[in-house]
Amino acid sequence: MESIIPIKGKVKFPITLDSGVWIFDDRKVDLTTYFDDTDEKVDALEEYTKAVSRHWSREIQEGATYPPTLKTEKKFEKEKILNGSFAIPFAPFLKNAEPMKDATSIIIETKTGTHSIDLDQANQLLIGFSKDGKPLRDDGPIHVYYMDGSNRSQPITDVRAFCVK
């Protein structure tokens, strides 16, 4: 099965996507928790102040403690990658392809048909590339999810190309 997916059509720069390398990309999101996370508005300065205060109080009471070793952190991250389900936002790839000004939609070409999405909505897509630590071989190479989670249990599968119209 081919893991290369083109973005073609009314774009300034036709590009190809290789889902095999996204596991190393910092933009990836964990699909097991992504749709369950709530977006609460948090004051960053207030949260930082509280965290520093808690840390300072703990050091005064218990003495300084040192963080886990780098080796332990690497092991945890490796386990997460080996067992996780991941996706990556589609928007940066679409932006790099630079759709023409007259482009209005994107067609997701699959093995069994096509799905048309408004170009503005295309920026709200996630591209799933891994499930339980393994590439999507049977109905992949990628799955397409909406960021709002509306097709979480029924993603668009067997994707072969993205065509900007």
Side-chain angles (χ1 to χ4, degrees):
M1 178 190 68
E2 187 68 33
S3 68
I4 304 296
I5 306 292
I7 297 179
K8 58 187 181 178
K10 289 186 175 183
V11 292
K12 199 178 216 179
F13 304 105
I15 62 174
T16 55
L17 307 175
D18 183 359
S19 61
V21 299
W22 292 335
I23 197 70
F24 304 109
D25 197 312
D26 290 336
R27 296 173 292 186
K28 71 180 175 289
V29 295
D30 188 346
L31 281 176
T32 56
T33 59
Y34 182 81
F35 298 115
D36 298 328
D37 288 346
T38 56
D39 293 335
E40 295 179 14
K41 300 290 182 199
V42 178
D43 182 10
L45 181 60
E46 183 179 340
E47 285 300 311
Y48 174 75
T49 305
K50 286 179 183 178
V52 169
S53 298
R54 281 192 302 270
H55 180 74
W56 181 250
S57 296
R58 193 184 86 226
E59 277 197 11
I60 290 172
Q61 294 172 355
E62 302 171 11
T65 57
Y66 298 100
T69 64
L70 189 56
K71 196 176 202 179
T72 306
E73 291 174 17
K74 283 183 182 177
K75 182 179 177 184
F76 174 74
E77 286 299 317
K78 188 185 289 186
E79 298 256 339
K80 185 176 172 185
I81 288 173
L82 290 175
N83 300 318
S85 297
F86 295 101
I88 194 162
F90 180 65
F93 302 114
L94 187 60
K95 181 181 176 192
N96 286 342
E98 291 187 28
M100 301 287 181
K101 291 183 194 263
D102 62 336
T104 58
S105 65
I106 189 161
I107 307 295
I108 302 172
E109 299 173 6
T110 68
K111 191 176 180 181
T112 57
T114 61
H115 301 269
S116 181
I117 297 174
D118 187 55
L119 197 57
D120 293 333
Q121 291 176 327
N123 287 317
Q124 297 300 312
L125 296 178
L126 285 175
I127 305 172
F129 62 89
S130 168
K131 182 167 175 93
D132 300 328
K134 307 217 177 342
L136 304 171
R137 297 205 190 283
D138 296 334
D139 56 357
I142 61 171
H143 292 173
V144 177
Y145 297 90
Y146 298 112
M147 285 186 173
D148 65 3
S150 61
N151 72 334
R152 178 182 187 177
S153 58
Q154 296 287 320
I156 300 170
T157 61
D158 294 308
V159 177
R160 299 294 180 247
F162 294 97
C163 186
V164 177
K165 295 285 180 181

